[in-house]
Amino acid sequence: FHSGEREEKCIIEDIPSDTLVIGVYKVQRWDIHKQDFLESAPGLGMFVTVTTPFDEILLSKLYGPQGTFSFTSYLSGEHTICLQSNSTRFVAFAGSKLRIHLDIRVGEHFLDESVLQAKDKVNEVNFRLEHLIEQIHHIAKEQNYEREREEKFRKTSEETNSNILWWAIVQTLILISIGIWQIKSLRDFFISKKLV
């Protein structure tokens, strides 16, 4: 995505609890002379801030023009990941455009390359199996989180439907009582005027 030099951009990720999140980014600065983005932006860094659904700060750190950040969520819900350059220019003069490449991996576990290159194939197979088991646990955790969200959504929908039904019943009773009152008032009016 593109961003201004001092502009803060935020991404919202829905993350289950106890989940590792890894973010890899790279910043490129617009070069007016070449009319293209430079491959690297030396001297430019990024402030990375991560907040929980209750606005608690999980991570707030300054990184270089490219880097990796990671955090583990302890609450399930929408986490906000914000990136802002550390440009020292005043806002009025910070007109340079930045291109930010961001890759966010939720629940990712990387294989250790040194273990993969081990001579003993049994250890390699064992390690791969452990990695697959970790991924299965992560998928099960994701499914449980989605079930909880679906259950919460279903309860909210049922409560809303119930409230709508009661509101319709109350409106109907009010209309019927007003109708009966109007008929009684008209009848009393006609009787008092001796039209009936």
Side-chain angles (χ1 to χ4, degrees):
F1 56 88
H2 291 122
S3 172
E5 205 166 313
R6 300 273 309 249
E7 185 179 0
E8 182 179 51
K9 292 283 187 166
C10 295
I11 293 121
I12 296 173
E13 281 287 327
D14 203 2
I15 304 170
S17 61
D18 298 323
T19 302
L20 175 67
V21 178
I22 298 173
V24 180
Y25 74 90
K26 178 174 137 182
V27 181
Q28 295 175 310
R29 182 181 280 164
W30 178 257
D31 188 359
I32 298 172
H33 303 296
K34 293 181 181 178
Q35 292 296 309
D36 196 10
F37 286 97
L38 297 174
E39 194 53 39
S40 66
L44 189 65
M46 295 299 282
F47 283 111
V48 178
T49 307
V50 179
T51 55
T52 66
F54 299 110
D55 293 328
E56 297 174 30
I57 295 176
L58 271 181
L59 174 72
S60 181
K61 191 173 178 184
L62 175 64
Y63 293 91
Q66 62 183 18
T68 302
F69 61 90
S70 64
F71 65 93
T72 302
S73 63
Y74 67 91
L75 290 171
S76 57
E78 293 182 344
H79 288 67
T80 306
I81 302 168
C82 296
L83 298 157
Q84 182 180 17
S85 71
N86 69 338
S87 175
T88 56
R89 298 186 197 184
F90 291 113
V91 176
F93 301 111
S96 183
K97 288 191 291 186
L98 300 175
R99 179 188 286 166
I100 302 170
H101 303 270
L102 179 63
D103 182 20
I104 296 176
R105 298 181 186 129
V106 178
E108 190 70 26
H109 298 286
F110 294 110
L111 294 173
D112 187 3
E113 292 298 323
S114 63
V115 174
L116 291 178
Q117 296 172 355
K119 294 178 183 177
D120 188 7
K121 294 294 180 185
V122 174
N123 286 343
E124 181 181 340
V125 171
N126 187 24
F127 182 75
R128 285 186 182 269
L129 282 174
E130 288 176 4
H131 180 72
L132 288 173
I133 289 170
E134 280 183 18
Q135 286 182 329
I136 289 170
H137 287 306
H138 175 70
I139 291 169
K141 193 185 322 178
E142 281 276 342
Q143 288 176 335
N144 288 336
Y145 176 63
E146 292 300 325
R147 268 191 219 104
E148 289 173 11
R149 288 188 60 205
E150 189 272 332
E151 184 179 332
K152 196 184 302 182
F153 179 74
R154 189 180 67 245
K155 284 180 182 176
T156 304
S157 296
E158 288 172 358
E159 288 174 7
T160 304
N161 288 340
S162 174
N163 290 342
I164 290 171
L165 174 68
W166 284 110
W167 178 246
I169 290 171
V170 167
Q171 282 182 322
T172 305
L173 291 175
I174 290 172
L175 287 174
I176 290 172
S177 61
I178 288 174
I180 291 171
W181 176 77
Q182 285 179 335
I183 290 172
K184 186 180 180 316
S185 297
L186 276 173
R187 192 175 138 239
D188 290 344
F189 175 75
F190 288 143
I191 288 174
S192 69
K193 294 294 181 181
K194 298 184 181 179
L195 295 173
V196 177

